[in-house]
Amino acid sequence: MSRASVVIFVALWIVAMSTYPGWNAFDPNSTGHDFFRNFLCDLLSATTPDGRSNLVGCITMNAGAVALVLGSLLRLWWHAPVSGRWRTSNRLLGGLATVLTLTICLEQAFAISLPHGAVTLAAGAAGLVPTAVVAAVDWNS
């Protein structure tokens, strides 16, 4: 299931990039998606900052993000081969990272006024610890 969710995410990400109308923070007059200049969050939004519709890209990128987080990352964090406090910490932080990541998807898709940078940093920080624990366990085994 984890591999399938990663494949689904990549496929939907490619579709979202191919349908993105253009705009990035470095060149507002750009057309299309630029892998090195656009952020993933640009693809999550239903409209570009200059008002063009990105509905197809928004739907596909959000579906891909949900597939990746629920089908792969949450499973990785929840079923990490650790015990005791590490297992509890992994599950709590992984759950928090999942909720915050899904919040980012909702915030971008529906233009909800939340502090995007703070939510994004919190989601990344919450997911970094359980991912590092899983990597450390894997390294040691």
Side-chain angles (χ1 to χ4, degrees), residues 11-105:
L12 292 175
W13 185 17
I14 291 168
V15 170
M17 286 189 296
S18 68
T19 61
Y20 188 71
W23 189 96
N24 65 63
F26 305 100
D27 182 10
N29 297 320
S30 68
T31 57
H33 184 273
D34 185 329
F35 183 82
F36 296 104
R37 293 185 170 205
N38 283 103
F39 298 101
L40 286 175
C41 296
D42 292 337
L43 298 173
L44 293 171
S45 298
T47 58
T48 62
D50 62 356
R52 290 183 275 175
S53 176
N54 182 41
L55 187 58
V56 172
C58 170
I59 291 168
T60 56
M61 191 65 213
N62 276 291
V66 168
L68 181 68
V69 171
L70 295 180
S72 187
L73 292 174
L74 182 60
R75 293 170 49 85
L76 174 75
W77 297 326
W78 194 264
H79 298 293
V82 293
S83 60
R85 278 191 239 162
W86 283 111
R87 173 168 280 190
T88 302
S89 296
N90 257 39
R91 288 180 173 182
L92 287 172
L93 289 172
L96 177 62
T98 300
V99 168
L100 289 171
T101 302
L102 296 177
T103 300
I104 293 167
C105 292

